[in-house]
Amino acid sequence: MPVVIGFEGSANKIGIGIIRDGEVLSNPRRTYITPPGQGFMPSDTARHHRAVILTVLKEALEQAGLKPADIDCVAYTKGPGMGAPLVTVALVARTVAQLWGTPLLGVNHCIGHIEMGRLITRADNPTVLYVSGGNTQVIAYSQRRYRIFGETIDIAVGNCLDRFARVIKISNDPSPGYNIEQMAKKGSQFVELPYTVKGMDVSFSGILSYIEETVFSMLVEITERAMAHCGSQEVLIVGGVGCNLRLQEMMGVMCKERGAKLFATDERFCIDNGAMIAQAGWEMFRSGQITELEDSWITQRYRTDAVEVTWRD
């Protein structure tokens, strides 16, 4: 039963988690929060991560009750994400792997979300809706790849939410999307907005003054199309926006109509965290993968379908 530690820091959250044979031993996390009306810049975010990463590492080991000698592999987020934060975390992960004498594994951030979702929900072979600040994709597994059936052709749904929050000065604590969701619960009027689905892709750039219904309806539509294509009876929602209860409710209605099952996780695992990187790293490590030191760079635009999935049939 290998023990894998995972380092995540692709955006404004820095997390370190430890996984042993499908069990989450620890998963501490910190979030870089900016004032209302402001986003987070790469250099400032990296500075935040540098300031707290060793504290988070100590917490992860203490909560798991483990010592460095107990760790079999160090996994880190290779990408996609923001360059400066990714580099910061990769440098620490490389250093730790060398100090502890353990193998190193670069993990695709998106696949980390998928594998964590599969672990927590026990979904077998779902159609995946991956929605976050930097990514919006409909994904299904086929022939050792996570295939992208549809995606945003401009900005991600989480980025759309964040930009809207900045325009009307919504607080970033704990997150813009969460605060928008709470405000939307109090709303009673539906505002008609552009509904832009292009084949299996979606466009959000023209909807920066919107209510959640339109955006989420677009996501439900393209997810249902992918399910029909794959003959799938499961949907798994992952990524930070996947915590949104209204999105889960709307997807649940569609799944019920199709006789399908919906799977989702709470904020412990849908929001960026170290355990998801550890879990994907655990799967990769067991299938014989490692990343040589000279290959342990970061890739800001690291596509989900660029990874060979050696751990699934």
Side-chain angles (χ1 to χ4, degrees):
M1 295 190 296
V3 179
V4 179
I5 189 168
F7 290 75
E8 156 59 25
S10 59
N12 69 326
K13 294 168 183 65
I14 175 73
I16 299 176
I18 300 177
I19 292 280
R20 179 178 59 203
D21 195 29
E23 179 185 4
V24 180
L25 302 182
S26 62
N27 198 22
R29 177 174 57 200
R30 297 285 192 282
T31 302
Y32 174 51
I33 297 174
T34 55
Q38 297 182 25
F40 48 91
M41 300 298 292
S43 58
D44 296 333
T45 307
R47 192 174 300 112
H48 166 267
H49 291 0
R50 287 196 298 270
V52 301
I53 191 168
L54 294 183
T55 300
V56 179
L57 174 57
K58 183 179 179 182
E59 285 181 13
L61 289 169
E62 289 179 348
Q63 290 175 16
L66 299 177
K67 304 182 297 296
D70 300 317
I71 304 297
D72 296 301
C73 179
V74 174
Y76 73 96
T77 301
K78 179 177 180 177
M82 301 169 68
L86 281 172
V87 168
T88 295
V89 175
L91 283 170
V92 174
R94 283 201 294 260
T95 303
V96 166
Q98 291 179 84
L99 287 173
W100 295 355
T102 60
L104 186 65
L105 260 175
V107 173
N108 180 285
H109 177 86
C110 312
I111 289 179
H113 276 297
I114 295 171
E115 294 304 336
M116 196 68 197
R118 291 181 63 234
L119 171 69
I120 298 300
T121 66
R122 301 299 178 188
D124 179 35
N125 187 28
T127 299
V128 178
L129 174 63
Y130 171 39
V131 278
S132 69
N135 301 275
T136 300
Q137 297 174 339
V138 176
I139 301 164
Y141 173 77
S142 176
Q143 298 181 338
R144 294 168 74 98
R145 299 272 171 174
Y146 281 115
R147 311 288 177 174
I148 299 173
F149 276 77
E151 59 190 319
T152 177
I153 59 176
D154 38 52
I155 61 175
V157 63
N159 193 358
C160 183
L161 288 166
D162 293 346
R163 290 190 188 187
F164 174 66
R166 289 202 294 271
V167 169
I168 62 174
K169 300 294 192 297
I170 292 177
S171 173
N172 291 321
D173 187 10
S175 73
Y178 174 81
N179 293 324
I180 289 172
E181 180 183 6
Q182 305 319 304
M183 295 174 70
K185 289 177 181 177
K186 302 173 185 177
S188 58
Q189 181 182 2
F190 178 76
V191 179
E192 294 258 356
L193 295 164
Y195 190 101
T196 312
V197 172
K198 300 183 177 182
M200 284 297 292
D201 296 328
V202 289
S203 172
F204 297 118
S205 61
I207 313 178
L208 284 178
S209 300
Y210 74 98
I211 290 178
E212 293 173 306
E213 299 294 304
T214 301
V215 170
F216 291 165
S217 293
M218 292 158 58
L219 296 174
V220 172
E221 178 182 331
I222 62 173
T223 302
E224 184 175 19
R225 287 186 184 179
M227 292 175 70
H229 181 89
C230 298
S232 172
Q233 288 297 100
E234 295 179 330
V235 172
L236 171 63
I237 306 177
V238 300
V241 182
C243 298
N244 191 290
L245 296 181
R246 180 56 182 152
L247 174 58
Q248 293 181 19
E249 182 182 12
M250 294 170 70
M251 193 71 74
V253 170
M254 180 272 287
C255 287
K256 185 177 180 180
E257 291 175 351
R258 296 183 64 87
K261 292 182 179 180
L262 172 65
F263 298 92
T265 64
D266 60 30
E267 67 278 357
R268 292 172 301 166
F269 305 115
C270 65
I271 296 172
D272 291 353
N273 63 91
M276 72 184 207
I277 302 304
Q279 174 60 18
W282 185 81
E283 295 280 13
M284 295 167 69
F285 185 62
R286 287 198 314 140
S287 69
Q289 289 196 45
I290 61 168
T291 301
E292 298 296 339
L293 189 62
E294 58 268 24
D295 298 324
S296 59
W297 54 72
I298 62 104
T299 303
Q300 283 188 261
R301 298 184 179 183
Y302 190 14
R303 299 257 319 162
T304 311
D305 51 7
V307 179
E308 183 181 7
V309 182
T310 56
W311 58 95
R312 291 188 62 176
D313 294 331

